[in-house]
Amino acid sequence: MAKPLIVGNWKMHKTVGEAVDFARRLRDALSANLDRSVAVAPPFTAIYPVAQVLKGSGIGVCAQNMHEKAAGAYTGEVSAPLLADAGCEYVIIGHSERRTYFGEGDDVVNRKIKAARGSGLKAICCIGETLQEREAGQTFSVIERQAKKGLRGLNAAEIGGVAIAYEPVWAIGTGKTATPDEARDVHLFIRDIVKGEYGEGITADLQVIYGGSVNPANIADLMARPEIGGVLVGGASLDIESFAKIVRF
Ligand code: PEP
């Protein structure tokens, strides 16, 4: 079984100075041989300086997005090789904000995951239903479509470096959390899909994590479910005390 994975997604927050200060404090607050994998996802501008601070600490750096091509005339974009060079270990792909505001669909997500794995980055593939889809009873069909299309055609080495984040869109930044049992049911469903596509051997190490209004008060309950392999945290990862509490759940 993989260690629990806890990732803080800072979104479009923190200057370089603020990000570096946070990284120093997090590094000093956590022991080097943690029994969990921890990473922070700064905005692009702060990735390199944060990676410098966290070098050797065991805390990873994660990008929030990337372009599917390795290099070229794509003004304003950042590729997987550039992220790896700047010190990233992980990249978030298909976050619901990318899907909603930037029109990213399952095919783009699939190509980005392949590109990330090709550059040695671990990919955190976000999937989740909207409130409208949940109310229409489509949660499981949406999850199935996003998981199957997002992971389509990955080989064993590629899938080995992918974590899936179940992030119900209605729970992101809203203060509403899926109950641990609701999250567990979807996590089990996701594991079954991956097992069906890639076989039992893959799922033993597959990390399925939960995201959506995780905070210091609800983390223990969520992580008490063995099916929940970690968390992707937005708002509550911006404050060092709050994030450190989540990491130490
Ligand atoms: C996220 O952005 O991935 C997220 C889960 O945000 P929040 O924790 O603020 O709901």
Side-chain angles (χ1 to χ4, degrees):
M1 275 281 280
K3 295 184 204 176
L5 171 63
I6 300 171
V7 181
N9 174 15
W10 294 349
K11 309 194 186 192
M12 200 165 66
H13 295 289
K14 295 196 188 294
T15 61
V16 169
E18 290 163 348
V20 163
D21 180 58
F22 186 111
R24 283 202 187 108
R25 292 171 68 190
L26 186 66
R27 179 195 63 194
D28 296 347
L30 303 181
S31 100
N33 40 16
L34 271 181
D35 60 351
R36 50 211 64 190
S37 303
V38 179
V40 289
F44 285 133
T45 45
I47 284 175
Y48 180 73
V50 165
Q52 294 297 302
V53 171
L54 295 180
K55 214 179 239 175
S57 70
I59 303 168
V61 179
C62 178
Q64 300 175 17
N65 179 38
M66 53 169 265
H67 193 265
E68 65 190 72
K69 294 282 198 293
Y74 298 100
T75 301
E77 293 294 327
V78 180
S79 69
L82 296 180
L83 293 173
D85 177 60
C88 282
E89 179 181 351
Y90 301 88
V91 57
I92 298 170
I93 294 179
H95 190 280
S96 66
E97 287 150 18
R98 301 292 319 168
R99 293 178 189 260
T100 305
Y101 304 131
F102 302 95
E104 292 190 8
D106 299 322
D107 293 337
V108 175
V109 167
N110 180 253
R111 291 197 296 273
K112 287 187 177 190
I113 292 174
K114 287 178 179 160
R117 295 299 300 127
S119 291
L121 295 175
K122 294 175 191 154
I124 301 173
C125 170
C126 298
I127 59 178
E129 80 286 2
T130 62
L131 184 58
Q132 205 184 9
E133 289 163 340
R134 170 161 279 247
E135 286 175 349
Q138 295 168 347
T139 298
F140 290 94
S141 59
V142 168
I143 293 299
E144 182 169 6
R145 189 203 73 228
Q146 292 181 339
K148 283 192 173 163
K149 287 191 162 181
L151 305 181
R152 192 181 45 217
L154 299 185
N155 63 34
E158 287 168 337
I159 190 81
V162 176
I164 300 176
Y166 169 52
E167 296 213 302
V169 180
W170 50 270
I172 296 181
T174 57
K176 291 184 196 144
T177 322
T179 65
D181 286 346
E182 282 170 335
R184 183 211 39 216
D185 290 350
V186 179
H187 282 221
L188 280 172
F189 183 69
I190 293 169
R191 299 193 83 85
D192 278 348
I193 291 171
V194 179
K195 201 191 315 177
E197 301 285 303
Y198 292 97
E200 188 85 50
I202 299 288
T203 48
D205 282 333
L206 177 74
Q207 270 172 317
V208 184
I209 67 176
Y210 169 78
S213 296
V214 174
N215 61 44
N218 59 26
I219 179 73
D221 234 10
L222 286 162
M223 293 305 299
R225 305 295 187 284
E227 298 80 6
I228 301 181
V231 285
L232 179 54
V233 189
S237 73
L238 291 171
D239 175 76
I240 179 72
E241 320 285 311
S242 149
F243 189 58
K245 276 187 195 149
I246 291 170
V247 170
R248 295 198 191 98
F249 68 87

